[in-house]
Structures are given as structure tokens and as C-alpha cells.
Amino acid sequence: MIKEMNYPMMHQVDNGGAPDENCTHDCSSCGVDCPSREGGIQKAKLNEHSSVKKVIGVVSGKGGVGKSMVTALSALAATRNGFRTGVMDADITGPSIPKMFGVHSKAMGSEFGILPEVTPTEISLMSINLLTENETDPVIWRGPVIAGVVEQFWTDVCWGDLDVLFIDMPPGTGDVPLTVFQSLPIDGIIVVTSPQDLVSMIVAKAVNMARMMNIPVLGLVENMSYIKCPDCGRKIEMFGPSQAEAVAVANGIKLLEQLPIDPVLSQEADMGKIEFNQGTQMESILEVLEDLGLKAE
Ligand code: ADP
């Protein structure tokens, strides 16, 4: 039977044996001696009716640099090239994936779990916006609750068979992204920055955080890198010559792509039509997928 899902109807994630069903996964504020404590946070279990070959986290040092845009464009490039693709919107306090894809319906549930929304090009999506009563309801939960919801997106959502799941990660290097990093089996991350952030320590912080957790950094994307003059097509670097290549080399990572500020992209995202974009942005992801051992059907 398929029924409509609301966040309060979701049950607690199977936490691998923690004794208390109200476990917040915040061991620092809990004295209970439980299996979750041993070796830190346990990895969440994937929904038993799903198989996901590779999980790629898309991260940024802060919000607003285009992390969701790069997630969406990567998913589009993957699905167009024959990979069974999903997007988990783990940016719980600033979810923008459903809006970009024009998805406004509520998620439905079945006996196998919560069903992701499937877009016309067959990308499976899950976001908190598909579970809250109104899209405009703010999420005002504390970190451990947010991290718990992301775990539920892994455990309770029936993703089906996916080649790759892109996770639009919570921004920054704080408590929530850290817990998500630790609790989901992420195969690698893509770091998204804007040109201004490249000159700061933000990229190095995100890269170091991943390395400290033994998560490979699959590449760097410089978003809003330049604009193209609509008359002559000349590339204008508004923030001076790009430092992306130098920063990638300094951090020992690959520069995957430099994306321009493209008014068509932002219009399509605002109108919920990103899926119909005809560009080739983020096709660099195909090499990443190949390096991870994935082959399109
Ligand atoms: P984040 O996920 O990092 O918070 P978003 O992906 O939501 O950032 O992007 C922030 C805003 O910038 C959105 O309105 C988005 O449509 C727009 N945007 C992102 N990248 C581009 C781009 N390359 N060209 C034009 N607009 C962009």
C-alpha cells in the first residue's frame, strides 16, 4: 500500500543496537554505554530493498556557492549518460533540490520504505521538502536531529537500484556535515567553491576534513568562475585571474570544471526546469564515475 509521508510519521533509524529508541546519536551529551559509542558513530544501514553502487558527497565551505547546482548538473550528466542516478538533499536547513527539479509533491510511503520522487529523466530524489507539511516550513532542529534525518534518508528511503547517489551535503565543516560524513558510506567528495573562497582557507578545510576521515576527494569545481560577454563571447573573470588550478594543485586534487555564471542556469533552477538544460556542464563527472569503476548500462 502506498501512502503519503510526513516527517513525524517516519520511524527512528535502526541504529545498529543502541538501547534507546530516542537515541540522538550525540554521544557527547549521553552517558549510555551502547554499541554506537564503540569506535564513534556507526554507519547507517542502507534500506534493505535498495542497492547503491557509489555515493558521492558534494560539499562546500559555506552556503550559496552553487553546491546544489553542481549536484543537480552532475546528476543530469550521469543520468543522460546511462547511469541510474539518485540525489539525496542532505542540506536540511536550506533544501533547494526539489525546487530546481520542479518537484512539489509529497513523498509517498510503501511497505519497502519511503519512495523517492522520480523525475522525467529518471533521477530519484529525496529531500526534507518532500516530507514537511508546507515547502516553506522552516527546519529549526538541532544538529543531532538533522543528522538523524539524513541517516533516515539512507535507511528508510527505498532508493531501488542505483549506480550513483549524489548527496547535496550540509554546507561547511561543522557538526552536521561531520556526522553525515561519519554515518554514511561516502565513496568520495566533490568540493564546490566560488572564486572568492579559493583565496581563503575554505577549500583546504573541506579537503582536510575529508582526508581526516579517509574519504577521497574526487575533485574541485569552481562555480561562478567567470561570465561570458553576450555580445562578443569573451570570458570575463570578475574576480581577477582564476586561482582554481593553483589551489587544486596545492591541495593535491583534480580541477574538474570551472562553471561560468550563466543566467539561463539560474532561470531554469528558479523555474524548476533545470532538468531540461541542454548544456554539457559537469560532464567531467563521467570520468569520476569511470575512475570509481562504474559503467553505464
Ligand atoms: P548552495 O547549494 O551552495 O547553497 P545553490 O546551488 O543553491 O547554492 O546556488 C545559489 C544560487 O545561485 C541559486 O539561485 C542558483 O540558481 C544560483 N547559481 C548557482 N550556480 C550558478 C551558475 N553557475 N550560474 C548562475 N546561477 C547560479
Side-chain angles (χ1 to χ4, degrees):
M1 202 199 34
I2 293 183
K3 59 180 195 271
E4 199 174 84
M5 296 301 297
N6 257 338
Y7 176 68
M9 289 167 63
M10 293 167 74
H11 58 81
Q12 288 286 314
V13 65
D14 174 1
N15 55 19
D20 187 348
E21 63 170 24
N22 296 319
C23 173
T24 61
H25 304 273
D26 182 9
C27 300
S28 62
S29 63
C30 169
V32 178
D33 186 23
C34 75
S36 298
R37 185 175 292 279
E38 290 168 17
I41 294 168
Q42 283 201 341
K43 293 267 183 245
K45 277 192 209 148
L46 177 63
N47 174 274
E48 55 181 322
H49 303 285
S50 304
S51 107
V52 179
K53 286 189 187 147
K54 295 291 170 191
V55 179
I56 298 179
V58 184
V59 311
S60 66
K62 63 173 197 213
V65 299
K67 178 174 54 60
S68 305
M69 180 67 85
V70 169
T71 307
L73 294 173
S74 302
L76 289 178
T79 195
R80 276 185 197 143
N81 285 279
F83 294 94
R84 289 164 302 179
T85 306
V87 175
M88 180 201 286
D89 186 359
D91 192 349
I92 302 291
T93 51
S96 39
I97 292 291
K99 184 170 183 275
M100 284 184 173
F101 282 88
V103 170
H104 302 285
S105 48
K106 297 282 299 283
M108 308 300 270
S110 75
E111 64 261 48
F112 305 119
I114 304 168
L115 300 174
E117 191 67 30
V118 181
T119 71
T121 61
E122 301 203 341
I123 301 173
S124 299
L125 302 182
M126 182 46 63
S127 167
I128 194 68
N129 265 11
L130 306 184
L131 297 164
T132 49
E133 195 80 46
N134 304 300
E135 283 180 335
T136 49
D137 286 348
V139 168
I140 43 176
W141 301 324
R142 291 187 194 277
V145 178
I146 294 176
V149 171
V150 176
E151 279 184 36
Q152 285 186 276
F153 282 176
W154 180 246
T155 303
D156 293 351
V157 172
C158 182
W159 290 102
D161 289 339
L162 294 183
D163 292 314
V164 58
L165 178 68
F166 292 97
I167 304 186
D168 187 358
M169 295 283 283
T173 47
D175 175 45
V176 179
L178 179 68
T179 312
V180 173
F181 265 127
Q182 287 178 313
S183 56
L184 300 187
I186 296 174
D187 293 289
I189 60 159
I190 292 170
V191 181
V192 183
T193 68
S194 60
Q196 304 102 304
D197 290 342
L198 279 171
V199 287
S200 72
M201 296 286 101
I202 289 178
V203 173
K205 277 193 180 159
V207 169
N208 288 337
M209 178 170 165
R211 291 214 171 115
M212 283 160 84
M213 280 177 289
N214 291 324
I215 298 174
V217 182
L218 305 170
L220 177 71
V221 176
E222 186 187 45
N223 189 32
M224 309 195 196
S225 175
Y226 58 92
I227 50 173
K228 246 187 185 167
C229 171
D231 297 322
C232 66
R234 194 167 67 90
K235 215 168 148 176
I236 304 165
E237 293 179 302
M238 303 83 66
F239 306 101
S242 171
Q243 314 225 10
E245 190 66 63
V247 169
V249 170
N251 285 281
I253 55 179
K254 202 162 153 184
L255 178 60
L256 292 180
E257 215 155 309
Q258 290 170 282
L259 296 172
I261 293 183
D262 180 352
V264 174
L265 273 184
S266 56
Q267 272 163 24
E268 284 173 343
D270 279 350
M271 286 160 49
K273 296 199 162 137
I274 198 69
E275 200 165 12
F276 305 105
N277 183 277
Q278 295 300 317
T280 55
Q281 302 92 333
M282 285 316 299
E283 288 209 335
S284 54
I285 201 70
L286 301 175
E287 209 179 302
V288 170
L289 299 182
E290 199 178 304
D291 288 349
L292 287 172
L294 289 178
K295 283 199 175 62
E297 301 261 299

